[in-house]
Structures are given as structure tokens and as C-alpha cells.
Amino acid sequence: MGHTFKVKIWSIRERTWARSTSFELRWMVGNEEQSNTFDTFTLADNRRAELMVAVQRGEAFDEATGLPVSELRRRNDVPWYRHAREYIDMKWTDSPASTRRTLAEAMATVTPALVTDTRGMADNRTVRTALYSWAFNRHRWDDEPPEELRAVLTWFERKSLPISALTDPLVTRRALDSLKRKLDGTTAASISIRRKRAIFHNALEYAIEAGRLAENPIHKVKWSLPDPIDEVIDPATVPNPKLTAKLLDAVRSQGARGRRLHAFFGCLYYGTARPAEAVALDRTGCRSLPKRGWGLLAYQRTRPRVGSAWTNSGLAHDDRGLKKRPRKAVRLVPIPPELVAMLRWHIEAYGFAPDGRLFRTNRNGLLQDTGYGVVWERARKAVLPRHLLDTDLAKDPSSLRPAGLSGQLSAGVAPQTVAQRAGHSVEVLLRVYARFVHDTDEDANRRISEWLQRWG
């Protein structure tokens, strides 16, 4: 059922039962007959007049309830705070832990902008804690928050604007502007703003589905990001092949802990793995590790560390499929002999964890970014000149993946092949990684000259 302009309103009918008399108002909306019974003729006639006015205005009626759409929307009008929690509830079950955290962050950012006034509002940090960690974390809805945070949540329940207030473009602009700011008041990164705007937009689309808004008010506001969106990684952060080799050697030289992580870092560089993919790599993922030549890895799972507050298991690491891929998708990646040798040595020395994982701590636990980050930082200090230590060059292990991918592009591998191994689209690959490709002019000139000579 939906909305229709096909409405027919009949005259009021008097009905007598025993000693009582009532007055029935009947009307047809689409193919659905509706009726209301009133104690007096005056009440029934007033209601009939309200429906007639809606018809004369040319207003659509809802077939399921028989009500004018504007009236239905008024009945459905709820405070933004309640709507935001219902939106979180709707999205929660099917969202991975990292997405749950992102949803909560977006709602916690925009909600303080959608209040009647700020009198009595707590400080920014307390507000963010109450909203992010409690109001928009469904895992904690059955828990009792600390007294200070409970007072903050009660304040938002009382002060929250009705969702219909967003039909005012100035209110919508105020909400959008709040997405630009970090907790300290400084401007947030463009990619963060865009992500939060997308979530806010989706929450308003949900309001349309719930009959609380007629259209998405964002489209009526001429609003833009504070600066151009730039998703690419700074080339200054990515080590070249010579530096990468030195860093990997410096990792291996750090005793037992470094040797245990050497192949892990190798997977990020040679095997195009994201850190969470390498953490989840197991026995079945090592498809082929021959004594000579190229091998083959299969990535199918990721174990990102998002915090126990957001996962169904209560563990700090989520367990999910590949990024932006179906749950059972598999990415096959040929790996060079250098990485094959690293992995064969690692398996010979440490074997597999009881659950089949390739990389693990001494106690069979999941690798933590804080743990392998310490090893990486020591490698940086051992290799980089002093004047580069305070820069972002190879600042963390995640720089190994773009270093490896840009190296493949520099080697002349077809972009579609590199993109497939990286788990990216070609468009993303070229936008993000192509700028790392340096010193290729001489080779490009040679290829062009050969082509010109071949065709005279």
C-alpha cells in the first residue's frame, strides 16, 4: 500500500444500539474503506470537515491508515534523539563492528546540533562519551550508565528537536556544519566529514520510510565540504623499495619477536595484504608455497581490531569477510619467491595456531596493532636518518601495502591486474596509488619511441 489521491467521503450515518446512539463517519481511500465512530454528531462532522479540507487542498492520503499524509506525518513526528536511536537499532544487526562504531560516531556528532537550546548541556567530551559509548551503542542499552552520563542522556531526551524541525533548511545546515568539526573544534578531515554526511543522509532517508519526513531536507541546502576531498595517500609517507628492504631486515634483526613478525610485514608489502587480512591469514589461505618460484595466497577473512564494545563476540577483533566484498568472497594473490621464502621459514619455525592462523602471539593470541607497531617503530629508528624520524615516512606498517602496489605499477604490471590483487577497482587504484610511481619517464619515452619507429 502507498499514497493515493483517490478519496471518497460519505455522509455521517447515525447508528442506534439499545439505548445508545453513535455517529459513524465512513470514507474510501483507494480501494480501502475506513471508518470512525463518534459519540456526537458534532464530533463526527468536525472530523469529516478536516478530511474534506485535506481533499480540497489536493493532499495525498495513506491507504493503510486512511489518513492525510500531513496528519500521519504529524502523528509520526518524534524527537531526533529517539529517531537516531531507532536508526542505530535498524542498522545494528547487519553491520560489522567497524561500521557500528562509525554509525555511533556520526550520530554522536550531529545530535548535539539538533537541540532546542544548549542551556544545561555538559562539556563536549562528556557529551561525546555519553552519546558515542552509551546512547548509540546498542550493546549497552540494557546497562545502567554512570550517574553523570545518565543525566546527559536525560537532558538530550528532553531537549532534542522534533525531526520535523529539519524541514527548516537552517536547522539542516546547522546539523551539516556540525559534521565539519572535531571534538576540539578544529576542522575534521574531508573523508571523515563525507562519511558522516552519508550516514546522516541515510538516517533521513529512514525518516522518509517511517513517514516522518516527506523528502530529504539535505537536498534543499547548498552545502559543501570545507576543502577539496583528497583520498590519496601522501607519497611522502611511502618508503621506496630500497628503504623497505632495510626496514624488513631491521624487523628480522630484533630477536625472537622480530623474526616472528618478519613474514607478517612481508605479506603487507609483497602480498598486497591489509593488516587485518594478514592477521586472519590461515593454513587454508596458503594455497601454494613451493620451494622455487612464485606461490599463491588466498585472502577470505579479516580480523580488524575495533574494540570489544562493538563486536557480537565481545572480543576486541571483529571476524568478517573482505572489505566491501561478499562474506564468502576470496581474493587470490600470486606472491613472489621472496615472500614464499619468508612464509616457508615462518611455518617451519612456528607452525600454525590451534585454529589454523598463520601469525600469532607467543600465547596463540591475535596479533595486536599496538604490539607489532612497537617492532615497526624500532625498525624505523634503526634505519631512518635522525632528520626523518619526525616525518610521516613509513610511519606505520600500513605504508607497506601502498609501497608494494606502487612498485607493481612501476614494474609495468597492468593496472587491472594490480587492482584485482589489491582488492580495489582500477579507478581507486589509479587515484590512490599512481602518484607514487616515480622515475618512469625514461622507460615511457623508450616505449613511445619504439612504437613510433614500428609505425614509421
Side-chain angles (χ1 to χ4, degrees):
M1 291 187 180
H3 298 162
T4 182
F5 295 95
K6 183 182 176 182
V7 180
K8 182 178 181 179
I9 304 175
W10 290 298
S11 299
I12 298 170
R13 183 167 62 182
E14 182 177 340
R15 301 176 67 90
T16 302
W17 300 93
R19 296 182 180 180
S20 64
T21 300
S22 62
F23 299 86
E24 183 182 30
L25 171 63
R26 297 179 302 121
W27 70 103
M28 179 78 75
V29 177
N31 297 318
E32 298 294 322
E33 183 174 336
Q34 308 287 339
S35 67
N36 280 152
T37 302
F38 300 87
D39 292 333
T40 67
F41 177 85
T42 301
L43 291 175
D45 191 47
N46 287 341
R47 180 55 177 161
R48 184 176 186 275
E50 292 174 352
L51 297 179
M52 290 295 295
V53 169
V55 172
Q56 292 166 3
R57 285 200 305 258
E59 185 173 343
F61 278 60
D62 178 66
E63 291 185 88
T65 62
L67 299 177
V69 170
S70 62
E71 181 179 332
L72 180 63
R73 198 168 293 125
R74 287 194 300 272
R75 291 189 179 188
N76 289 337
D77 197 13
V78 299
W80 163 260
Y81 177 78
R82 174 181 159 186
H83 173 77
R85 282 170 59 89
E86 290 179 1
Y87 171 71
I88 291 290
D89 188 44
M90 181 270 294
K91 299 286 287 187
W92 191 269
T93 300
D94 295 327
S95 296
S98 57
T99 300
R100 294 170 179 173
R101 188 173 61 181
T102 303
L103 290 168
E105 183 180 355
M107 292 295 100
T109 301
V110 74
T111 296
L114 296 175
V115 293
T116 55
D117 60 74
T118 58
R119 291 192 298 272
M121 182 184 286
D123 63 273
N124 290 342
R125 191 166 297 280
T126 303
V127 165
R128 180 61 60 87
T129 300
L131 295 177
Y132 173 76
S133 299
W134 293 87
F136 302 125
N137 183 345
R138 202 177 76 175
H139 280 162
R140 284 185 164 175
W141 285 0
D142 293 332
D143 298 335
E144 188 68 23
E147 179 62 33
E148 180 185 22
L149 300 184
R150 185 167 63 250
V152 172
L153 300 182
T154 301
W155 186 92
F156 274 99
E157 290 175 354
R158 186 175 69 255
K159 293 280 191 174
S160 183
L161 284 171
I163 196 168
S164 60
L166 285 158
T167 56
D168 182 349
L170 294 181
V171 174
T172 302
R173 176 176 289 279
R174 188 170 75 210
L176 289 169
D177 285 342
S178 71
L179 305 179
K180 297 179 179 180
R181 304 298 169 196
K182 294 193 291 187
L183 190 60
D184 60 5
T186 58
T187 302
S190 293
I191 190 171
S192 173
I193 300 171
R194 189 173 68 163
R195 185 187 303 116
K196 290 180 180 179
R197 181 198 177 279
I199 293 172
F200 182 46
H201 180 279
N202 189 248
L204 296 179
E205 291 292 311
Y206 177 60
I208 297 173
E209 293 180 16
R212 295 167 181 171
L213 290 174
E215 57 184 343
N216 199 317
I218 282 183
H219 303 308
K220 293 186 175 181
V221 179
K222 294 182 179 179
W223 182 86
S224 60
L225 293 168
D227 47 50
I229 297 173
D230 186 8
E231 290 186 353
V232 298
I233 303 169
D234 185 357
T237 67
V238 180
N240 60 39
K242 183 179 294 186
L243 176 58
T244 301
K246 290 182 179 179
L247 287 166
L248 292 176
D249 286 342
V251 167
R252 185 178 53 191
S253 66
Q254 293 182 43
R257 191 177 188 186
R259 290 192 295 272
R260 184 180 283 271
L261 290 170
H262 186 232
F264 170 78
F265 290 128
C267 286
L268 310 188
Y269 181 61
Y270 296 110
T272 73
R274 298 177 175 89
E277 293 171 344
V279 169
L281 189 62
D282 58 14
R283 187 192 307 270
T284 60
C286 300
R287 293 290 179 88
S288 176
L289 299 175
K291 292 183 178 179
R292 291 186 178 86
W294 283 66
L296 183 68
L297 295 181
Y299 302 120
Q300 187 174 3
R301 298 170 61 201
T302 59
R303 299 300 303 271
R305 188 173 184 270
V306 294
S308 58
W310 307 100
T311 62
N312 291 331
S313 64
L315 301 176
H317 289 77
D318 199 9
D319 189 353
R320 52 182 294 194
L322 300 179
K323 185 177 181 180
K324 296 182 179 179
R325 294 292 185 273
R327 183 66 176 88
K328 294 184 179 181
V330 178
R331 189 170 90 249
L332 299 177
V333 179
I335 58 173
E338 289 81 356
L339 180 55
V340 172
M342 289 182 184
L343 293 173
R344 287 178 63 88
W345 185 92
H346 181 91
I347 294 171
E348 180 68 24
Y350 306 110
F352 295 93
D355 61 358
R357 280 178 296 109
L358 179 60
F359 302 114
R360 49 179 169 156
T361 64
N362 286 330
R363 297 182 179 180
N364 292 325
L366 289 163
L367 292 186
Q368 305 280 349
D369 51 355
T370 51
Y372 62 72
V374 170
V375 174
W376 183 256
E377 183 58 29
R378 288 175 181 169
R380 269 185 99 242
K381 291 180 179 179
V383 171
L384 292 182
R386 184 179 298 273
H387 69 279
L388 292 178
L389 286 177
D390 292 332
T391 69
D392 290 334
L393 176 60
K395 189 171 184 179
D396 55 62
S398 62
S399 64
L400 288 170
R401 177 175 150 89
L405 292 172
S406 60
Q408 292 183 26
L409 289 173
S410 296
V413 180
Q416 59 268 30
T417 300
V418 180
Q420 182 179 16
R421 296 180 181 186
H424 278 313
S425 67
V426 174
E427 187 270 334
V428 169
L429 179 83
L430 295 179
R431 185 177 71 243
V432 176
Y433 299 105
R435 67 190 297 185
F436 302 135
V437 180
H438 302 297
D439 303 325
T440 59
D441 284 345
E442 183 177 342
D443 183 62
N445 293 344
R446 177 183 58 78
R447 291 172 181 267
I448 294 171
S449 295
E450 290 176 354
W451 179 80
L452 291 172
Q453 291 173 8
R454 186 165 63 251
W455 293 99

